[in-house]
Amino acid sequence: MGVRCIIVDDEPLAIEILESYVKKVEQLQLVGTFRNAVAAFTFLQQHSVDLIFLDIQMPKLSGIDFLKTLQQPPKVIFTTAFRDYAVQGFELEIVDYLLKPIPFERFLKAVAKVLHQPASQATPAAKEVAPDNYVYFKVDKKMIKTKMADVLFIESIKDYVKVKTPDKEIVTQQKISYLEESLPREQFLRIHRSFIVNLEKIDAYSATDVEIGKHSIPIGRNYKNDVMKILAKNIF
């Protein structure tokens, strides 16, 4: 049956665009569109859905207030023209935060987080906020804003990751595979099942490891060929 989804937005053009995007993804099944959150709330009292594409600023009831009314909300992707609500949205454990106008590639990236996420997995603790150069990591009940340029490397420790910067370590409950998908590939590279590194921070490397400052980070055997090809592009 695929992922059952609804669109909640007071702009007809925005609904039309999202509808066209949903139709391009076979795994998505659109079961309703609503011009306000009250109508969506009524629908959800009798129907179950897996995903909501939700605008924030709407008449009658805002998207954020609407989400707070749901006792067991489905996964939510905010679709909005306003970036000011990003932290508040992620505190509500949304999947992603899309800024209008939304390119299809960005839409697809957000949807992939739902399609590739097991039903039992908690909503990701780190969220990308495009188009700036920051990422938010959820630590306890706070969202910690971190400049991507400051991230040295990321280390996986079971169901947690440790994000290392020059002046701090951030430990958040997260899967490293989610971060690998979320962070910009031109800047971050997974070199080991337990490590992602910031390419701009690498000081030296060999066939077995990379050096970032005083840290020596191993290159996994299964990653070696791809890592060597990417690192070799910058050899002169």
Side-chain angles (χ1 to χ4, degrees), residues 153-167:
F153 62 89
I154 298 166
E155 180 180 2
S156 174
I157 308 170
K158 294 186 178 180
D159 291 332
Y160 291 80
V161 294
K162 179 171 65 178
V163 182
K164 179 68 176 178
T165 73
D167 58 355

Side-chain angles (χ1 to χ4, degrees), residues 69-203:
T69 68
L70 304 178
Q71 293 185 348
Q72 295 182 316
K75 294 179 175 64
V76 172
I77 296 174
F78 273 148
T79 58
T80 176
F82 302 92
R83 67 174 66 239
D84 302 340
Y85 303 95
V87 174
Q88 190 173 359
F90 293 140
E91 287 175 347
L92 294 170
E93 298 186 335
I94 63 170
V95 171
D96 211 335
Y97 192 98
L98 303 183
L99 289 172
K100 300 176 182 178
I102 303 168
F104 178 66
E105 303 81 51
R106 185 66 182 86
F107 170 89
L108 197 60
K109 186 174 182 178
V111 168
K113 297 174 186 178
V114 177
L115 300 180
H116 298 159
Q117 183 181 25
S120 61
Q121 181 178 325
T123 301
K127 301 294 181 182
E128 175 188 8
V129 183
D132 60 27
N133 294 315
Y134 294 87
V135 64
Y136 287 89
F137 293 97
K138 187 176 182 182
V139 180
D140 297 324
K141 295 183 179 181
K142 293 182 179 180
M143 301 300 293
I144 308 297
K145 185 178 183 180
T146 306
K147 195 172 182 179
M148 285 193 285
D150 289 342
V151 176
L152 301 178
F153 62 89
I154 298 166
E155 180 180 2
S156 174
I157 308 170
K158 294 186 178 180
D159 291 332
Y160 291 80
V161 294
K162 179 171 65 178
V163 182
K164 179 68 176 178
T165 73
D167 58 355
K168 62 184 176 182
E169 289 184 352
I170 301 169
V171 178
T172 179
Q173 187 173 9
Q174 186 54 267
K175 295 288 188 181
I176 195 170
S177 56
Y178 171 77
L179 291 182
E180 183 183 14
E181 292 180 1
S182 301
L183 293 169
R185 293 174 183 253
E186 67 274 11
Q187 185 177 357
F188 291 90
L189 177 65
R190 189 168 184 178
I191 66 170
H192 187 280
R193 63 181 297 180
S194 299
F195 290 96
I196 295 173
V197 300
N198 186 339
L199 290 169
E200 298 175 358
K201 301 298 184 180
I202 295 176
D203 297 310

